[in-house]
Amino acid sequence: MPKRDFVLPPEHIYPIDEWRLAEVRVSPEHLARAETIFALSNGFLGVRGMFEEGRPSGAPASYINGFHETWPIVHAEDAYGLAQTGQTIVNVPDATVLKLYVDDEPLYLPSARLKEYRRVLDMRAGTLTRELVWSTPAGKHVRVRSCRFVSLESRHLLAMTFEVEMLDRAAPVVVSSEVINRQDARPSNEANNQRSADPRLGRRVAGRVLECQVSREAGDALLLGYRTTHSGMTLGLGVHHIVEATDDHRVEAAISGDHSKVVVEAQCEPGRALHITKLAAYQASRAVPSEELVERCMRTLRRSVHDGVESLLARQQEHLARFWDRADVQVRFSGGSGRMQQAIRWNLFQLCQASWRAEGTGIPAKGLTGPAYEGHYFWDTEVYVLPFLSYTQPRIARNLLRFRHSMLGAARTRAHELALSGAAFPWRTINGEEASAYYAAGTAQYHINADIAYAIRRYVDVRGDRGFLVEVGAEILVETARLWADLGFHCPEGHFHIHGVTGPDEYTTVVNDNVYTNLMARLNLNYAVASVRWLQQERPADYIALVREVGLDEDEVEQWERAAAVMYIAHDDKRGINPQDDNFLEKEVWDLARTPPEDFPLLLHYHPLVIYRYQVVKQADVVLAMYLLGNEFNIDEKRRNFEYYEPLTTGDSSLSACVQSIVAAEIGDEEAAMSHFRSAVAMDLADVAGNVSDGVHIATSGG
Ligand code: BGC
């Protein structure tokens, strides 16, 4: 059972609507969460749901997938092969700010007298809109309407419209449209990298990150170019304004790398609105100079001006119609389904936002909605998101798998560092290198290799796309199988064992024969054998090419087959269950029922050595194996395993509830199934894990 109670979003602030997420009151209490749940993204570019005024704000941020800074990891006690270079996604300059002044009075939501207020994320339109009526200190009434979207059609583009209308009396109106480098804006001069005790949070990189290389105006556009100090990545940004107002208006620009502005001043009469369109184009690269990126931004802007916002909005809806056509899930519960239906759609919408234009990149654990996990790609993609995409959006699934393939070179190098053959994919990364500093809950999770193999198999089976195996799939399977064959060993009794690994449950680390790992490794080995043999028989020319490319010999394939055939899968005959690993059952049981609620998640309250001494589970491990590899267990085994692990499972990882729900449903435990289902679906909207302000839990959305 989930150990945490949660409260669904209050209806007087967030009314139920199956296709929209609306906020009908300004709620300072929900500020940082709202920035996450109203975030917009297309998988390339993401902006959190900041207010147009730029303040108050929780953790204002905009991201480009894969655009990161590197920094040296300082290990207090270094050891051979530990990850040396950290990677952190950069908070790119924020183009969402449009500050409003009427009669020189600023609109500031917490203290403003608002006659109307409504902010709406529309999941079919792909827009975040806001409409309010402000009663100014002088008693004038102003209607302010805005709309923002991150284009699904033109992936570099963020488009905004902002409209101000005096309802009763005229007033001088000023709109300051700004671009702010928040990455390098610091509260104080920090000498060192700052890191909180919560390992899930992002790191604030020390020193200046974005070095400005271009800052100029061109016609109506502000053009900015940057280079990151250490990773040497480049960024281009162009911002263009279209102002529609009375003749009596002025536009003035001031540009600088950290804070640029276009200030629009107009005398506004009732009945005649001031209308501003703000288009921002972002480009990032590892190789192209920022000056060239800025030129590309200009081209995007010119095209967008030519197409017009209306037509981009229409295209936005068409993309979403295509998404929903295949992805929608409808539920009916007795006693009202509205909130759950809304939450399910919101989760599906997050998957769309995280992946739709993630071309040539992976999917960060938080999508592009928050700083936690530093924009890193984990196994979350392959196990939790790719199955959904394989069924509903095969083009995206294929791209993501191809992206993994692009990291194969780095994974080979990593295997070599670990004194292993084949490839060792990094536990967390942006650029292909291992970025996990804590190897016990990082690199030791070799299961990521098998998770990738699993995702390939699922994709190929679902789509019937064997061409993918020919292109790149078989190569990944060979290299991952090689790692297992080298990592494990045959014991005198003949079994194949895999020692010194960490399974999905990070509350037990560096163990022998983790059942999940061994079962998934077996799948990886068997699938590699089957794929190589299929190539040999059906595509002899491609087989020969593969053999040449990876230096494969038939003995190796036989070795994989033998290892898989005698893979050791731990089983406790007395209890009739699978021990999570070789000595899991010998440890003392952690009594979760007697653990004070404020001690969760355990990782923030107990030293790892305390946690490692006990039978206590962060997230589904054997239970996950029973879901992914359902045919390996009969229903009684599933029931016994589920019942054994359920009371030990904290749910401290958001990757758990969805899996527990599925398995509980399968064994007929409807109460557990329903309760985990609710907590998985509500994970972010009800802030079940207490950290939605740091970003959406994309794996949960997929789960
Ligand atoms: C989980 C991992 C997961 C990561 C990113 C951690 O808390 O234990 O399994 O990959 O979060 O979502």
Side-chain angles (χ1 to χ4, degrees), residues 203-240:
R203 166 181 289 253
R204 181 159 218 171
V205 181
R208 195 173 172 93
V209 173
L210 290 171
E211 288 168 1
C212 187
Q213 298 190 311
V214 181
S215 68
R216 64 165 195 272
E217 286 172 64
D220 291 332
L222 301 177
L223 300 176
L224 294 159
Y226 302 87
R227 185 178 176 281
T228 53
T229 307
H230 298 287
S231 66
M233 292 189 77
T234 46
L235 177 75
L237 169 58
V239 183
H240 178 78

Side-chain angles (χ1 to χ4, degrees), residues 200 365 373 378-380 427 445 504 506 618-619 653 655 699:
R200 300 166 300 182
Y373 292 120
F378 293 73
W379 70 314
D380 303 35
W427 176 242
Q445 296 199 51
E506 295 178 351
K618 182 180 179 194
Q619 66 201 92
S653 160
L655 278 65

